[in-house]
Amino acid sequence: MNGHAASRHSLRHEESAVLLLDEKSLSDIESDAGRADLESRFITNQQKRWLVHIQIYMSTLRPPTTTCLKRVGIFLLPSFVQSRFFSNHHRDRNRDLGPTAYLDGMRGLAALFVFFCHYFYTCFIIAQGWGYGADNYHVLKLPFLRLFYQGPPMVCVFFVISGYALSLKPLKLARQRKFDSLATTMASFIFRRGFRLFLPTAISTLMIVAMLRVGLYEWTREFAYDDRYMKNVQEIHYDRLNSTAEQLEDWGKEMFRFVHVWDWDSKAGSTAIDVHLWTIPVEFRSSMMLFLTLLGTARLKTRLRLLGVALIMCFVYCNDRWELLLFYWGMVLAELDLIRGVHNSSDGGAPIVAAAGSSPVSASSSSSSAAAAAAAEEEQAPADIILLTPKRSGKIKRAMWLSVSILALYLMSQPDQGGEETPGWVVLTNFVPEWYEDTYRYWQSVGAVLLVLAVGRSPGWQRFFNTGVVQYFGKISYAIYLMHGPVMHTVGYAIERWIWMSVTGTEGTAYNWGFVLASLFVVPVVVWASDVFWRAVDAPVVRFAKWLEVQCSIAD
């Protein structure tokens, strides 16, 4: 999704959220936190009866065949079904989520909405806002409503979340003056980051090559470029080469170019195998710069660190590096939350520095205790500023942050095209600097920062993002990002073709109704494929990276 999505055959700047798990979520993958809330939400009586019929059929087969089919069948069930019927232990339904679990939920919905963006923009012009020109007065193009299929602001949200998640633990250790632990943590982050980002994408693109060789992409190739159905953006349908050897060689070259760290162009490292993956190299480069900044400012006093980061952000802003700027904003928001004590488990509202000496990462010694005490004293000044601020009533605070979140959502609704002629955006678009290349990202970026800021201070928003269904999408968010492209280009296109050709037709409103009917099948298939990929590839890659780090590291 991008500012050029209105062009019929243009594929420049299509958007995708780089739904990457932060360090907290990496450990969550191996736990059942948040999943218990899902168990009672998806299973109907009819589905239970189907499961009974399946079990009866399996019991009639030979024991070895039964065992194999049962294992495969259970594995292919969505994870929330497995946890309901095939769990070996009772899960605690009242298990508390972590203080930043709402960020997982935000990431999950961002991933889902990016998928909707890529699903919608093949058929409809969605880049333009309500009131632009003579043909853009559909209610779904209004601000707020357009967010559920608008990809670019979701990218901005996720970059802020990534910056926050990757900064939180290092900043916490830096504030506690646990520099040995900080060095170990940063070494781990840097070592695993490449595996975390590039190994799942290598596997997903290799799956595309396999689907290409067995003919699944050929099944829908003509449809993918048929103007009668793909009326707006026609995404690249990866070409099938003459032999498997040539295809694998081409895949290897594409992956070599994909791991692109030498160019800061927004499309550097993009691959024709899956055009949605261009943001992965962007994420990697921004992560490395963030890690460098965290290390370089770790020993600074809080005020000086914030000042130094602010100067870096000004430099980044003036160089039009919007993606890196959002990472740095995530770092700043993480520091502000540490100052106000929201991650202090020992005292719900006290600043986290107050507990710096009482919750060491490793065994305490007299020197480390003294350092922690000194750190607490040094960091007390900014915390005192917050404590001395007059307390407003809870209702006033909730109303204030609700207003900020509404403003944020409006700014995130900035049209991807034609903002200078769209009602409600003419004046705001004029404030965008002339040197800012991607004009449509300007206010979307501001809105993303404000939204993460407001949600972090709004218990109501956090309760929403902590609901079971939203948390589920958070767990499979990276898998949704990797799987929605190949599923759309194969099963998705086949379903759309069948419905338009055999059920509704494409004349007039029949085209729209056919799209809606197809979505009732395509969306669940994408979610199911993402769930399976998450368990089969994504989570094992996380565990593999941790295992490899242990095997390669020098013992303490």
Side-chain angles (χ1 to χ4, degrees):
M1 169 64 205
N2 60 70
H4 305 281
S7 172
R8 176 180 292 273
H9 301 293
S10 174
L11 194 58
R12 295 165 47 206
H13 306 302
E14 64 280 346
E15 292 298 338
S16 34
V18 191
L19 306 173
L20 311 173
L21 299 175
D22 58 38
E23 293 303 313
K24 167 188 169 295
S25 297
L26 296 182
S27 60
D28 282 350
I29 283 183
E30 301 179 62
S31 72
D32 295 316
R35 188 186 298 175
D37 293 334
L38 301 170
E39 297 176 355
S40 61
R41 298 173 183 264
F42 298 94
I43 310 303
T44 65
N45 290 332
Q46 183 178 3
Q47 291 169 328
K48 292 180 181 178
R49 289 195 294 271
W50 273 107
L51 288 171
V52 172
H53 291 321
I54 292 173
Q55 290 175 342
I56 293 174
Y57 170 74
M58 301 284 282
S59 65
T60 64
L61 302 177
R62 291 184 302 164
T65 306
T66 300
T67 301
C68 181
L69 291 178
K70 182 177 180 180
R71 289 177 178 175
V72 172
I74 291 175
F75 181 80
L76 292 178
L77 289 173
S79 58
F80 50 82
V81 177
Q82 291 187 39
S83 64
R84 177 67 175 177
F85 291 98
F86 303 102
S87 176
N88 294 325
H89 62 278
H90 176 71
R91 290 181 172 84
D92 183 8
R93 295 178 180 273
N94 296 319
R95 188 170 182 174
D96 292 332
L97 297 173
T100 59
Y102 67 90
L103 294 176
D104 294 334
M106 295 180 71
R107 177 174 48 226
L109 288 188
L112 187 66
F113 293 165
V114 164
F115 158 46
F116 290 165
C117 169
H118 295 148
Y119 185 49
F120 274 64
Y121 80 171
T122 58
C123 302
F124 306 103
I125 298 175
I126 63 174
Q128 299 166 355
W130 187 93
Y132 175 80
D135 301 322
N136 292 286
Y137 288 93
H138 195 284
V139 65
L140 292 181
K141 293 197 171 186
L142 287 169
F144 305 107
L145 295 180
R146 65 181 291 112
L147 286 175
F148 85 91
Y149 61 80
Q150 193 174 8
M154 301 304 132
V155 175
C156 297
V157 167
F158 194 80
F159 281 174
V160 177
I161 293 175
S162 292
Y164 186 109
L166 294 172
S167 302
L168 185 60
K169 186 176 181 180
L171 286 173
K172 184 182 297 186
L173 294 173
R175 291 174 62 81
Q176 296 174 345
R177 298 300 185 261
K178 295 182 168 68
F179 296 115
D180 289 342
S181 297
L182 174 63
T184 301
T185 296
M186 295 307 300
S188 177
F189 280 16
I190 294 170
F191 179 87
R192 288 186 286 152
R193 195 61 173 164
F195 292 101
R196 183 68 192 97
L197 298 182
F198 293 119
L199 190 51
T201 52
I203 296 173
S204 70
T205 51
L206 188 59
M207 290 172 56
I208 293 176
V209 170
M211 289 189 288
L212 195 68
R213 298 312 302 173
V214 300
L216 291 181
Y217 267 61
E218 300 308 302
W219 186 28
T220 57
R221 184 169 300 281
E222 291 185 4
F223 179 84
Y225 296 115
D226 194 327
D227 293 343
R228 294 174 299 172
Y229 307 109
M230 302 289 104
K231 295 187 175 183
N232 189 40
V233 173
Q234 295 178 352
E235 292 187 343
I236 296 175
H237 208 65
Y238 189 41
D239 291 330
R240 190 177 192 271
L241 302 182
N242 295 328
S243 68
T244 301
E246 291 183 50
Q247 203 83 59
L248 290 174
E249 181 182 359
D250 184 69
W251 171 80
K253 292 178 180 178
E254 286 289 326
M255 289 300 97
F256 179 80
R257 290 190 290 266
F258 182 65
V259 185
H260 192 95
V261 298
W262 316 116
D263 190 348
W264 279 86
D265 182 79
S266 61
K267 296 297 177 180
S270 59
T271 173
I273 300 178
D274 187 346
V275 296
H276 307 137
L277 302 185
W278 65 269
T279 48
I280 293 291
V282 175
E283 171 83 16
F284 182 78
R285 294 191 294 268
S286 298
S287 299
M288 294 301 108
M289 287 299 299
L290 180 68
F291 292 155
L292 181 63
T293 304
L294 286 166
L295 284 171
T297 60
R299 302 186 70 91
L300 299 180
K301 298 179 180 179
T302 298
R303 292 185 182 89
L304 294 180
R305 178 165 54 244
L306 290 174
L307 176 61
V309 172
L311 293 176
I312 293 173
M313 292 171 68
C314 289
F315 179 75
V316 169
Y317 170 78
C318 292
N319 281 276
D320 195 15
R321 293 260 56 96
W322 63 273
E323 72 283 17
L324 186 55
L325 184 64
L326 292 174
F327 269 77
Y328 282 133
W329 268 116
M331 176 184 174
V332 170
L333 295 181
E335 180 99 63
L336 294 178
D337 279 351
L338 288 172
I339 290 175
R340 67 191 186 96
V342 296
H343 300 297
N344 178 17
S345 59
S346 62
D347 187 1
I352 193 167
V353 295
S358 59
S359 58
V361 174
S362 58
S364 298
S365 63
S366 58
S367 60
S368 62
S369 299
E377 182 179 356
E378 179 182 323
E379 301 286 0
Q380 192 64 42
D384 285 343
I385 294 175
I386 295 177
L387 292 175
L388 293 175
T389 301
K391 294 185 177 179
R392 299 181 180 181
S393 68
K395 291 184 178 180
I396 294 178
K397 286 185 177 180
R398 287 194 294 270
M400 179 183 70
W401 290 117
L402 177 61
S403 300
V404 173
S405 66
I406 293 174
L407 173 63
L409 293 173
Y410 179 81
L411 295 178
M412 288 171 60
S413 302
Q414 180 184 11
D416 305 325
Q417 188 179 63
E420 66 280 358
E421 299 179 21
T422 302
W425 290 101
V426 176
V427 175
L428 288 174
T429 302
N430 288 333
F431 281 106
V432 179
E434 294 182 359
W435 46 263
Y436 205 86
E437 182 177 358
D438 294 335
T439 304
Y440 66 97
R441 297 187 191 276
Y442 191 86
W443 292 112
Q444 291 177 0
S445 298
V446 176
V449 174
L450 290 178
L451 182 65
V452 176
L453 174 70
V455 172
R457 289 154 177 78
S458 304
W461 274 117
Q462 291 182 24
R463 283 193 296 271
F464 169 73
F465 287 114
N466 283 337
T467 56
V469 175
V470 178
Q471 285 289 303
Y472 171 73
F473 285 117
K475 289 180 180 295
I476 66 171
S477 57
Y478 194 32
I480 290 177
Y481 168 61
L482 297 182
M483 284 291 99
H484 78 271
V487 173
M488 282 173 50
H489 278 252
T490 53
V491 178
Y493 285 179
I495 291 174
E496 288 181 316
R497 178 179 58 192
W498 172 71
I499 288 179
W500 274 321
M501 294 180 65
S502 304
V503 180
T504 65
T506 58
E507 298 298 326
T509 58
Y511 180 84
N512 298 344
W513 285 112
F515 178 86
V516 173
L517 181 60
S519 68
L520 300 180
F521 299 92
V522 176
V523 173
V525 171
V526 169
V527 173
W528 169 78
S530 302
D531 188 293
V532 173
F533 187 88
W534 167 55
R535 289 179 285 115
V537 176
D538 199 27
V541 163
V542 173
R543 293 193 292 268
F544 168 76
K546 290 182 178 180
W547 172 85
L548 185 62
E549 180 189 13
V550 171
Q551 299 304 311
C552 296
S553 299
I554 301 173
D556 293 334

